[in-house]
Amino acid sequence: MPNLFFLAYGGDAWLDGLNMQTIVAIGCILLALAFEFVNGFHDTANTAATVIYTKALKPGMAIWLSGIFNFLGALTVGTAVAQIVTKIIPLHTVNLSIVGAVLIAALAWNLFTWWLSIPVSSSHCLIGSLFGAGIMAAGINGVAWDELAKVVIALALSPIAGFLVGAMLTWLGMKLDKSTASINSIGDEQKNNQPVMRWLHVLACVLVAFSHGSNDGQKTMGIITLILATHFAAYNYTVNLVPLWVMIACAVAIGVGTTIGGWRIIKTVGTKISNLPITNAQGFGASMATALVILVASALGAPISTTHTLSSAVAGGTIPCHGIDQLNRKTIQNILLAWLVTVPVAAGLAAICYGMIHML
């Protein structure tokens, strides 16, 4: 049974069977884990930004809790999302050139947008890359259109759901803790320090971390399962079952990546979507809305964007808390622009990468 821990199972016999394709396959698995690691620190803002900037938790504690619950979410919720990811490109079309191109393109765009402090979707990066590489490799037959349509619908609906549910739960949070409704300045911190709402906010952010792991952790599980099913099928790997070691490896990668902390994007989510400071009621509403939407999506097997959902929920929560005029339109325009270009850019990058790898 070859895997990253092959020495424990196959020993020298498996080592003797190494060839260049096998080495490339192992390299692709490691590249997939690198993508999951970057996904973790890129998306730390999803789980930690609001509790950090409301001072509900100290930064170190917030990030460590995020890492732990990302790990648990990836390991315990199931593999329904991973199964969908394995079906976007038809199995008979998949090869190592396609997988390598997908991962290089998604990783490159993720790192570039992180450097620019723009909270874009790792899911959009991956789905766009799968589309671009599949089309480049096999034309119109390189993509399973019915499966892709399900993913696109889920990706489109999740920010809308986040915005609406975030606004509603923020309003409910304000009713539970009326003092937060009147915060109009950064100096008015005492009104934002009510213990009940503070701990509800912390609970909501823990649930966001768990839900993020449950959805984003599975996407890389799907990619690695695809590699195993196509290159190591002789060892009984199939797309119908995600091996336990793959689940553990992906859970560790996203958990460790989260603990590194993506401070560039944390600042954007925590301070730049709303012109006025986030309150605990707003943080609770946005985080709880995000957690609920993501957990439902994970249960249904829908790979959606935690980044889009949370950013939309923060924007939705700003309206009942501070009013629509306090939305930072420039930041929102930049985020929307990044959302719109991520899929086509990732698709283009993946197509170019596939062409270059295929020539080599």
Side-chain angles (χ1 to χ4, degrees):
M1 180 186 294
N3 55 49
L4 293 179
F5 312 106
F6 68 89
L7 290 176
Y9 297 94
D12 293 338
W14 188 79
L15 189 62
D16 291 340
L18 276 176
N19 54 42
M20 182 55 69
Q21 249 197 338
T22 302
I23 293 171
V24 172
I26 294 171
C28 286
I29 292 172
L30 294 174
L31 194 61
L33 292 175
F35 172 77
E36 191 73 311
F37 173 82
V38 171
N39 185 0
F41 80 72
H42 190 285
D43 289 357
T44 302
N46 296 330
T47 57
T50 61
V51 286
I52 288 173
Y53 279 98
T54 57
K55 299 183 180 179
L57 284 177
K58 292 183 179 180
M61 178 61 72
I63 290 172
W64 275 101
L65 278 175
S66 296
I68 291 168
F69 281 91
N70 262 287
F71 169 82
L72 292 173
L75 196 60
T76 61
V77 168
T79 59
V81 173
Q83 295 298 323
I84 292 295
V85 171
T86 64
K87 296 174 182 177
I88 293 175
I89 296 179
L91 190 61
H92 66 272
T93 302
V94 176
N95 56 50
L96 294 178
S97 296
I98 290 176
V99 174
V102 166
L103 292 170
I104 292 170
L107 193 55
W109 185 245
N110 241 3
L111 287 171
F112 179 69
T113 52
W114 166 79
W115 182 255
L116 294 179
S117 307
I118 300 173
V120 301
S121 168
S122 298
S123 304
H124 282 210
C125 289
L126 191 60
I127 300 305
S129 297
L130 284 166
F131 174 81
I135 293 294
M136 187 69 174
I140 194 171
N141 295 319
V143 174
W145 294 97
D146 54 341
E147 299 296 336
L148 183 63
K150 296 175 187 176
V151 174
V152 170
I153 290 171
L155 287 171
L157 291 178
S158 56
I160 299 172
F163 184 91
L164 296 175
V165 179
M168 181 184 70
L169 290 181
T170 297
W171 180 81
L172 288 174
M174 291 168 59
K175 292 296 182 183
L176 289 172
D177 188 11
K178 293 182 179 180
S179 63
T180 61
S182 61
I183 297 176
N184 292 311
S185 66
I186 294 175
D188 201 2
E189 293 182 357
Q190 286 186 336
K191 293 179 182 179
N192 193 33
N193 197 32
Q194 301 301 313
V196 173
M197 187 50 61
R198 176 190 173 193
W199 290 111
L200 284 174
H201 183 192
V202 171
L203 173 63
C205 284
V206 166
L207 289 175
V208 172
F210 184 84
S211 66
H212 177 255
S214 77
N215 202 276
D216 278 41
Q218 289 192 53
K219 293 159 191 169
T220 303
M221 293 180 200
I223 296 296
I224 295 177
T225 300
L226 205 55
I227 297 169
L228 296 172
T230 53
H231 190 77
F232 298 115
Y235 297 89
N236 298 319
Y237 286 116
T238 73
V239 292
N240 298 319
L241 179 65
V242 178
L244 179 60
W245 72 266
V246 173
M247 295 174 65
I248 294 172
C250 290
V252 170
I254 196 170
V256 173
T258 300
T259 61
I260 300 300
W263 282 102
R264 291 174 178 272
I265 297 174
I266 286 175
K267 185 176 181 180
T268 298
V269 174
T271 66
K272 294 184 179 180
I273 293 177
S274 171
N275 289 325
L276 293 175
I278 291 176
T279 68
N280 277 319
Q282 184 182 358
F284 160 77
S287 298
M288 187 60 75
T290 301
L292 292 174
V293 171
I294 299 299
L295 286 172
V296 169
S298 296
L300 295 175
I304 66 174
S305 169
T306 308
T307 302
H308 287 204
T309 306
L310 182 78
S311 299
S312 298
V314 171
T318 298
I319 295 173
C321 196
H322 297 306
I324 194 169
D325 292 338
Q326 296 304 327
L327 286 172
N328 187 324
R329 295 184 181 182
K330 182 178 179 181
T331 298
I332 291 174
Q333 286 172 357
N334 289 338
I335 292 173
L336 287 173
L337 179 62
W339 289 357
L340 291 173
V341 303
T342 290
V343 170
V345 168
L349 285 174
I352 293 169
C353 289
Y354 175 81
M356 295 175 66
I357 293 171
H358 190 66
M359 285 192 295
L360 291 174

